[in-house]
Each structure stands twice: as structure tokens, then as C-alpha cells.
Amino acid sequence: MPTETIGAFQIILGAIGRFWPVWLALAIVFGASIYYRKKLGLYGQLFGTGVGIAGVLICGFWLFTAIFASTIAPFDPLAQIPVMKDALPGAVVPDGGGIYYFGGDKLARDIFSRMVYGSQIVMIIAPAATAFALMVGATLGLPAGYYGGRIDSVLSFLANLVLAFPVILLFYLLVTPGIVETGLPRWMAGLFFLFPIIFFVALFYTRFKNRPERLYPLLAITIILGGWIYAGLVFDADPLGIVRIDPNQLNIFVAVVFASSPGVFRIVRGLVMDIKTRDYIAAAQTRGETPWYIMLWEILPNARGPLIVDACLRIGYTTILLGTLGYFGLGLAPESPDWGTAIKDASRLLRSFIHPALPPTIALMSFVLGLNLLADALREQSLKD
Amino acid sequence: MLAFILRRLGTMLVTMLCLTMVVFFMVNLEPNLKKLAISQLDMRSPPEQLESWLVKNGYRQNFFVRYGQWIGVIRKQPNVDPETGKATPRFSFCNEPAEPYFGGILQGDFGCSTKFKTTVSAKLWPALGATGILMFWVMVTMVPISLLVGILAGMREGSRTDRSLSVASIATTATPEYVSGVIFTVIFASWLGWLNGSAASATSQGITFYNFTLPVMTMAVYGIGYIARMTRASMVEVMTQQYIRTARLKGLSFSGVVIKHALRNALIAPFTVIMLQFPWLLTGVVIVETMFRYQGFGFTLVEAAGNNDIDLLLGCSLVSVFVVLFTQLISDVGYAYLNPRIRVQ
């Protein structure tokens, strides 16, 4: 055990100091946002309420932490300094190596750095998985709500099937090394990742059908970009070698998208059923617009309010799901610095040491809280108009 | 009403059939079978021996035949040794008749647990009982608190009570069980020493305030916020209704209006929410029972999944899927029953 430690006051000051790029970025963003508030629409209105400001602040904090993680974290999240095993917060690494602000864990790694790097995993997977779930849910929910009838019954039945699965059971069945061997995640990824491409192709095609000079470039961009990412993510065959994903992470990603798209489907379906009775839809139908044009360009933009709120809540929920996966040691590597894994490791040793447990729990809680506050403020603002 | 319930029951059966088939397929994937064979024989067995074990014990039959056997509509064949002609049970710790028989879910036979070396029923039902006790206490604390919070917040929309209670509810929905569990354990078990950080003794020595408060608290907190917010929304809506204004204008006191006129109508929506909360609680049960080492259903599920215990995992899945679908049914029927305006089409 290291003998030298610094006091509580210095720990707080030092930790806050390490976050300097975040404070700088937050100050710039906040200054600009408040200055241009009137022109920023819904985002600008958030700065009118305390809840909204708190939400933006917390989410922004973790976003910038993820971006600047390598500058903020004083140590490598996987590096072990044997003498620092179970070191208390503020322990000084011998020979002027730096300070373990929040102490060391049972494998002598810096808890502070691990917490900072853990935000990267959450920030990459949670919003991306939510975006995919939104596109899958929207692409299926729009026709289900608009046409009704048999399409609706079949899709709703499938969505209810997935929703009737307890999430934890789904993860235990779907996120295992055995499943990766069978190639099932790749098949599912192949299916799910098709939806964004279909979505954007349909989006541009319905709009610019009669204007080939706009349509073809947009379609070309979608298909090349989509196909490139698709090849990289699903088949690990990116010709340039930039886009690739670890098989385990792909497995988690697919499981999370699978678990949350039925929820989006139901919300989109409900919104479509409500909006399609409006007059402007009838007007579009009378104009002779195609059903997909109406769905994508008339209904979807008018459903954006509830969808944005739902997306915020859903990113938070996905963060909780990722934490659950980490807590049960599913999918993520055992040494991965994500918050769920850190909570799992720390909660087993709670009787002897409590300091490794607190940073990841508070980090996870605060991020989800920030998203929920944001969603609440957004809901209030969108209800106003 | 009866036709509605029957139709819902029919849908529920079809859903259950589909879901169990998916689960059956997933737990019987090749890597799992291989792991099972290895665990039953030994690590160094050659692949041919593993394969012959799987064939001998009927794991290589057609998928639908095996699924039918599991349900209990197709006869299970006894495991006859070709040399001696004698029937031996697949697992030494479970009895199996020597002649072909129907032994599946419909007959109440859930199979054998390879992890606990007993029948699945012997393990599953006591575990469910233990979880039932946990759920009971969670409901007893969660429902009144959340309804009270929701009603107090929604009674006067926009007041200071409303704002602070709303933020508090948001905060609890942002605290999943594995977070609140750790925080509560740190505060109440490590620092204050009031409560026991483990519920392991609850199984053997009975439930006490000392060992059972933390699990119940941890589970209740995550649900409170959600139910409270739904109750609040419902209460706010009811309070803007004409009949509330009429009641106020004819001179009834505010508390009288809330209790006599608003409450009954405001509590219909939360009822559905509470019922639909069960699938979420199931995840919570798994986390809390693992964290506090309470030997209930969630603990069994984790053990089954972690040790590749095929029959036990199937049993757990069946139970959880049943719970989810059954609570959905109750919530639909109850909603139609409670709210006379919603007539079943």
C-alpha cells in the first residue's frame, strides 16, 4: 500500500482540474447556446428552464468527457501499478508517477481513468443503438400504423413477442460466446443494418422521384456510404479497414437494438394512427401523393416531438441495459472499463472496500438522470406550442 | 367480455408457443449441447464420444420431435442400452420410466437440472416461492408510496411540491437496481451498519427486517419513479375535468374533491402501469437476488444460464414468459373492467 495520500479537498480540486477540457468545451457551448438561444428552436428553448439546463449540462459533461477521455485520464484504463492495489482515494503513485484520485481497484488500476474511459463505451454504443432501433422501429411502425389490417396484425404480433421476453432472459440467451460461434448475431446485424439503408433510400426516392438531378447523387451517397459501413460492420470486410467492430461488441449492439426496436415500433405506430386522421394527410392523399411519401414526409416530421423525447429516454434506458450486461459479465471483456463491469467488480468486494464502487455508480446514475431531465424538459417545451 | 378474455387467452397461448420454441431453439444450439456433453462426460473425451452421448440421450432427434417431447405431446423414448437391453435414466439423479411415456410441461414434468442435480420442479417451485415473498414486500412498499407521491404531485400541477416530487421521481427512474443496491449497501450496511448487506440468511433463518430491507428497498426504488409519474399524469388530467370544477364550485373542500371525485378516476391508468411493471420487476429480481445472494427465481435463472443447465433454463423461461403474458392479460381485462368508457369491441 502506498503510504502517501493527499487530502479530500485536494482530491476534489485535482479531479475537477483534470476535467479542464470538458469545462472549457461546456463554457463555449453554453455561451454560444445562450447567446443564440432565440435562433436555435427547440434546443434553444431548453435554456429557459432549470431542468433543461441541468439536463444539457450533465449530458454535455459526459459527451465531452468521452471525447477528451485521453486528455482527462491520467493513466491507461488497463495499466496496473502493482503497489496501488486497493489504494485509497488520493493515493500518490511512488516515484512521482501521478495520483490515483479515486483510488485503485483490486487489480491496481486507476479508478478515475477507468470511469473516464468507461464513458466512451456508453457514448458510442448507446446513441448508435438507439438510432438503429429508431430506424428499425420507424420503418416497420409507419406502414403498420398507416395501412393497418394484416400488416399491422403481423408486425404487432412480432413486436409483442419480443416485448413479452424479459430483457434479462433475452440477454442471457442472445449475448453468449456460444451464440457468436453460431453466427446468429451476424445474421441479425445483417438484417437490422439493412433498415437504415432502406429508410434513407425510401426517404430520398419518395421526395425527389421527379427530380433525377437531386435523386441520383443522394441515392449514390446513401448506397455507397451505407454499403461501406454495412460491409464493415456486418461482414468485417471494409476494403479500407476503417469501419470494423469487435464480434462481442456487435453481439451486444444487436441484442440492444433487438430489445428496444419493438418499443419504438409501438410508439411510432400509435403516433401514425393518431396523425393519419389529420386534415393535411387527407389533403396529401387528395393530391395523389404515394403512401410512402405521406408516411415519410408528412407523418414522420409531425411525429418528431414525442420521438425526440422517447429517443432521450431510450438512450438512458440503453445505458442502463449496457450496465446490466456489464453487471452480469455478458458480452463485454472482463477488463473492459465500462461502468457496468466496474460496478460488478466493486460490488463483490463491498465489505472490504467501498471506494471502487462509487465512481462508476454515480457516473452511470448521473448520465441517465441527465438524459431523463433533458427528456422531461423537451416534453414540457414541445407541449407548450 | 367473456369472448374478449377467451380471445386474449388464445393469443396468449400462441405467443407462449412461439416464445418457448424460440427459447428451446436458443438453449439447444450446438455450442450449448457440446458444453452439456462435456460437462456430463469429461473434459478430455474425444468428439466422437461426445457425439455418441448426444445421440444416445436423444439430443440429436429432429428439433420438432424434441420440442414436442418437451411440451409433452410426443412420447419420450427410454434410454435403452443396446448391449444389455436395460433402460437407464439419462441423468442418474432423475427417475425416468423404462417404457415410452409422455413426460413434458403438460404433464408437469420439467426435466432434470444438471447444475443442482435434482428435478427442475424440486428447484424451481421453492425458488418461485422465495421470489414471491420478495415481490410481495416490494409491492407492499412500492405501490402505496408511488401512488401517494403521484397524487400529491398531480393534485396541484406546477406547484413547488409537484416540481420537487417530479424531479425526485425522475431521479429514481435513473437509478437501476445495480446502482441503488450498491449505494444503499454502502450507506446502510457499510457506513451506518443498520442493515445486512446480504440476504443469504433470509433463505435459511427466515426473513427479518435486518436482512430483507435492502433488497426490497433496492427493487422498490427503481419502480417508484415510473409509477409515480404515470399517476401524476393521470391525476393532472383528471383535475382539469369539468366535474372536478363543478364539485369545487358547489363548495366541497379541496381534500374532499380529491378523495371522493378525483382519486377513483385517476387510479385507473396506474393500475395498468403497475401490472405492466412486472416484466421490468423480473429483471430487477434477477439483479437484486444476485447482488444480495437471495436464493429465489432470479438467482436460479442466473445459475441455470451460467452453467448451461438446459432444462432448468427452459423452465425459468417458461415461468417468466407466463408471468409477463398473464400480467398483460390481467391489465387489459382489469382496464376494461375498471373503465366503463372503454367498451370491448
Side-chain angles (χ1 to χ4, degrees):
Chain A
M1 287 291 275
T3 45
E4 213 179 332
T5 55
I6 56 173
F9 186 65
Q10 279 171 296
I11 295 174
I12 296 168
L13 221 58
I16 290 176
R18 291 299 316 187
F19 279 110
W20 67 266
V22 175
W23 305 129
L24 197 67
L26 274 180
I28 295 170
V29 167
F30 262 67
S33 302
I34 291 174
Y35 189 74
Y36 294 111
R37 208 172 113 184
K38 297 265 167 4
K39 296 179 188 161
L40 289 172
L42 193 59
Y43 171 74
Q45 287 169 17
L46 282 178
F47 289 86
T49 58
V51 172
I53 293 177
V56 176
L57 190 72
I58 299 174
C59 294
F61 176 82
W62 287 114
L63 180 66
F64 290 123
T65 304
I67 294 173
F68 300 117
S70 50
T71 321
I72 299 166
F75 296 93
D76 178 4
L78 302 181
Q80 304 174 342
I81 303 178
V83 71
M84 303 301 282
K85 183 174 185 289
D86 295 325
L88 291 176
V92 179
V93 178
D95 312 323
I99 299 164
Y100 272 24
Y101 287 107
F102 295 160
D105 63 6
K106 64 170 180 184
L107 291 174
R109 298 166 300 197
D110 180 28
I111 292 170
F112 179 76
S113 304
R114 286 178 69 75
M115 182 191 79
V116 170
Y117 272 99
S119 67
Q120 275 188 337
I121 296 173
V122 169
M123 282 296 166
I124 292 170
I125 297 185
T130 310
F132 273 98
L134 270 176
M135 295 211 212
V136 175
T139 316
L140 296 176
L142 285 170
Y146 188 76
Y147 292 117
R150 189 155 306 159
I151 302 180
D152 184 26
S153 332
V154 172
L155 288 175
S156 293
F157 181 73
L158 288 179
N160 286 340
L161 270 189
V162 181
L163 284 175
F165 243 111
V167 180
I168 192 75
L169 186 66
L170 193 72
F171 283 162
Y172 259 117
L173 292 174
L174 216 53
V175 188
T176 55
I179 293 282
V180 179
E181 274 172 45
T182 62
L184 195 67
R186 287 214 182 277
W187 283 103
M188 289 174 69
L191 183 68
F192 286 144
F193 294 0
L194 267 183
F195 279 99
I197 301 179
I198 296 174
F199 180 82
F200 280 111
V201 167
L203 195 70
F204 295 135
Y205 180 74
T206 48
R207 181 87 198 219
F208 302 115
K209 205 166 37 182
N210 301 320
R211 287 154 66 191
E213 80 283 359
R214 292 287 302 279
L215 176 66
Y216 291 125
L218 282 171
L219 279 188
I221 292 175
T222 312
I223 290 174
I224 292 172
L225 209 67
W228 177 40
I229 296 174
Y230 189 83
L233 292 183
V234 181
F235 299 110
D236 201 1
D238 175 15
L240 304 176
I242 302 169
V243 182
R244 66 174 305 280
I245 187 167
D246 177 62
N248 281 329
Q249 269 177 0
L250 184 74
N251 193 355
I252 293 177
F253 196 85
V254 168
V256 171
V257 173
F258 185 66
S260 57
S261 24
V264 180
F265 167 83
R266 269 167 80 149
I267 291 173
V268 172
R269 176 178 167 270
L271 286 169
V272 173
M273 287 172 104
D274 175 29
I275 293 175
K276 79 172 176 188
T277 58
R278 305 278 167 87
D279 286 345
Y280 52 80
I281 304 300
Q285 282 165 341
T286 324
R287 282 204 308 273
E289 304 285 5
T290 56
W292 277 97
Y293 175 85
I294 297 175
M295 286 182 227
L296 290 168
W297 289 97
E298 300 277 352
I299 297 181
L300 201 58
N302 286 298
R304 70 180 183 283
L307 281 183
I308 293 172
V309 173
D310 180 64
C312 270
L313 289 175
R314 207 162 280 281
I315 296 175
Y317 183 57
T318 310
T319 309
I320 292 180
L321 284 187
L322 284 176
T324 315
L325 284 172
Y327 185 77
F328 286 109
L330 295 169
L332 294 151
E335 74 275 2
S336 136
D338 72 290
W339 297 334
T341 309
I343 294 173
K344 172 192 71 178
D345 289 341
S347 71
R348 295 200 177 141
L349 302 167
L350 224 46
R351 271 169 203 278
S352 26
F353 296 101
I354 55 172
H355 67 269
L358 293 178
T361 47
I362 291 168
L364 195 142
M365 192 180 142
S366 67
F367 178 53
V368 180
L369 179 66
L371 283 166
N372 284 7
L373 290 175
L374 202 62
D376 198 58
L378 281 170
R379 181 185 297 132
E380 214 149 273
Q381 293 302 329
S382 60
L383 280 182
K384 256 184 202 166
D385 7 282
Chain B
M1 194 68 177
L2 195 68
F4 169 72
I5 295 177
L6 281 178
R7 208 170 58 228
R8 288 303 312 254
L9 272 174
T11 323
M12 185 177 148
L13 275 179
V14 174
T15 313
M16 255 172 107
L17 215 61
C18 291
L19 281 180
T20 47
M21 201 184 280
V22 171
V23 176
F24 196 83
F25 175 74
M26 304 271 285
V27 295
N28 281 298
L29 280 171
E30 189 54 33
N32 293 346
L33 289 182
K34 205 160 274 168
K35 263 191 279 173
L36 176 75
I38 290 175
S39 71
Q40 290 305 307
L41 295 167
D42 92 70
M43 274 309 267
R44 291 179 298 280
S45 311
E48 307 86 62
Q49 207 173 329
L50 297 179
E51 188 59 35
S52 79
W53 186 86
L54 287 173
V55 172
K56 197 181 78 181
N57 287 295
Y59 286 102
R60 288 292 184 224
Q61 293 173 62
N62 180 285
F63 171 76
F64 291 101
V65 172
R66 293 194 50 219
Y67 180 65
Q69 287 175 345
W70 179 70
I71 291 188
V73 291
I74 296 177
R75 278 175 211 276
K76 267 187 195 167
Q77 299 300 324
N79 192 356
V80 181
D81 197 327
E83 284 164 23
T84 55
K86 255 191 357 192
T88 43
R90 281 190 302 160
F91 302 106
S92 53
F93 37 85
C94 289
N95 282 325
E96 267 177 35
E99 61 273 2
Y101 68 110
F102 290 106
I105 303 303
L106 293 176
Q107 286 80 23
D109 182 356
F110 280 70
C112 294
S113 158
T114 48
K115 155 77 182 158
F116 294 102
K117 307 231 178 294
T118 171
T119 59
V120 169
S121 320
K123 184 70 201 168
L124 194 57
W125 303 127
L128 266 177
T131 297
I133 298 172
L134 178 65
M135 288 290 241
F136 171 76
W137 287 109
V138 170
M139 284 293 171
V140 162
T141 43
M142 185 171 78
V143 172
I145 294 180
S146 49
L147 290 184
L148 194 70
V149 168
I151 288 164
L152 283 178
M155 213 160 60
R156 288 195 175 92
E157 196 193 359
S159 65
R160 185 168 294 174
T161 332
D162 179 26
R163 294 245 168 257
S164 40
L165 283 178
S166 290
V167 171
S169 329
I170 294 177
T172 70
T173 48
T175 341
E177 289 89 355
Y178 51 88
V179 167
S180 52
V182 166
I183 293 176
F184 287 153
T185 312
V186 166
I187 295 175
F188 293 106
S190 301
W191 285 351
L192 300 173
W194 291 349
L195 300 168
N196 193 345
S198 151
S201 59
T203 319
S204 50
Q205 294 153 23
I207 290 157
T208 59
F209 183 78
Y210 181 64
N211 64 22
F212 216 55
T213 311
L214 273 179
V216 170
M217 208 158 88
T218 305
M219 269 191 76
V221 158
Y222 188 41
I224 282 178
Y226 188 64
I227 300 178
R229 282 167 69 76
M230 290 297 156
T231 316
R232 177 189 172 272
S234 163
M235 189 74 189
V236 164
E237 203 196 318
V238 168
M239 289 305 280
T240 57
Q241 297 290 320
Q242 296 283 342
Y243 60 85
I244 297 293
R245 205 167 60 180
T246 314
R248 267 308 261 155
L249 289 179
K250 80 179 181 196
L252 278 182
S253 68
F254 186 73
S255 54
V257 172
V258 168
I259 292 166
K260 280 203 187 116
H261 293 79
L263 267 189
R264 275 185 61 142
N265 291 304
L267 288 183
I268 295 174
F271 168 78
T272 338
V273 174
I274 291 169
M275 277 298 152
L276 293 179
Q277 195 72 4
F278 271 92
W280 299 63
L281 281 180
L282 222 60
T283 310
V285 161
V286 176
I287 296 173
V288 164
E289 288 182 1
T290 316
M291 180 175 265
F292 295 103
R293 294 186 196 84
Y294 180 65
Q295 311 242 345
F297 176 72
F299 187 83
T300 314
L301 199 156
V302 171
E303 288 291 311
N307 293 291
N308 193 40
D309 190 338
I310 291 182
D311 282 350
L312 187 59
L313 189 55
L314 277 171
C316 288
S317 316
L318 186 74
V319 169
S320 44
V321 166
F322 178 78
V323 168
V324 171
L325 292 175
F326 192 66
T327 47
Q328 275 176 4
L329 181 74
I330 294 183
S331 101
D332 282 1
V333 173
Y335 191 69
Y337 178 75
L338 284 177
N339 193 346
R341 281 171 300 182
I342 307 283
R343 281 283 164 241
V344 187
Q345 295 127 7

